[in-house]
Amino acid sequence: MIEILSAKKFQMKLKATIQASGRLGFTDETAKALHLEAGVPIKFARDDEKGVLYLARVQERDEDSFEVKKSGDYYYLATRTLFDTLGIEYRTHSVIFDFARAASLDELMGGEAYKLCKREKQRNDKE
């Protein structure tokens, strides 16, 4: 089957940043694209062999999902313990995840899945 790859889908850059507090904060563009609102469940998965992390917005909340929280216009997940357990050093580094659609994992994760492509840089004193 041949699928038309719409430029519209690839013009948006979806991303989230781990704050110094360990929260995963979503950009406005990402929050809109994922239809985030307070209470929406999000699940994470990890491919141990490749060291890749995945995220999916799922339909139903369960014990494996994180609940989206809202502060003002800002959407975030309380993920400090998750990132501490995974050994991601967000206190001294700015860690940004770019989202890449991973449709092949939708069924496994129970929602629209994205591969999280990690970028990091040393935090400056102002952060």
Side-chain angles (χ1 to χ4, degrees):
M1 178 169 98
I2 295 177
E3 175 188 1
I4 300 297
L5 301 174
S6 171
K8 182 180 174 183
K9 286 184 176 180
F10 302 104
Q11 306 237 342
M12 240 187 304
K13 187 170 186 179
L14 304 182
K15 65 181 181 175
T17 302
I18 305 175
Q19 307 301 321
S21 64
R23 291 177 173 177
L24 183 65
F26 297 93
T27 63
D28 288 338
E29 197 169 61
T30 303
K32 287 176 186 169
L34 295 178
H35 307 288
L36 295 183
E37 55 188 54
V40 165
I42 301 286
K43 283 190 179 180
F44 288 91
R46 181 177 61 170
D47 181 332
D48 289 333
E49 291 178 12
K50 296 178 183 177
V52 176
L53 198 59
Y54 298 92
L55 171 150
R57 181 194 192 279
V58 297
Q59 296 300 315
E60 296 189 26
R61 189 165 191 260
D62 64 21
E63 63 185 20
D64 295 326
S65 60
F66 289 79
E67 185 177 313
V68 171
K69 309 239 185 248
K70 186 176 183 187
S71 177
D73 291 334
Y74 169 72
Y75 291 97
Y76 69 93
L77 297 172
T79 48
R80 184 182 75 208
T81 304
L82 170 69
F83 295 133
D84 287 345
T85 301
L86 294 175
I88 297 175
E89 187 46 64
Y90 57 85
R91 289 179 182 91
T92 58
H93 291 78
S94 290
V95 180
I96 300 150
F97 292 110
D98 296 316
F99 290 41
R101 188 71 173 91
S104 63
L105 296 178
D106 286 358
E107 187 175 337
L108 173 72
M109 293 191 71
E112 194 171 280
Y114 293 87
K115 177 180 177 182
L116 299 181
C117 305
K118 185 169 87 168
R119 293 185 284 136
E120 59 184 285
K121 64 178 183 170
Q122 193 73 31
R123 278 197 191 277
N124 61 38
D125 292 337
K126 292 181 183 178
E127 295 182 87

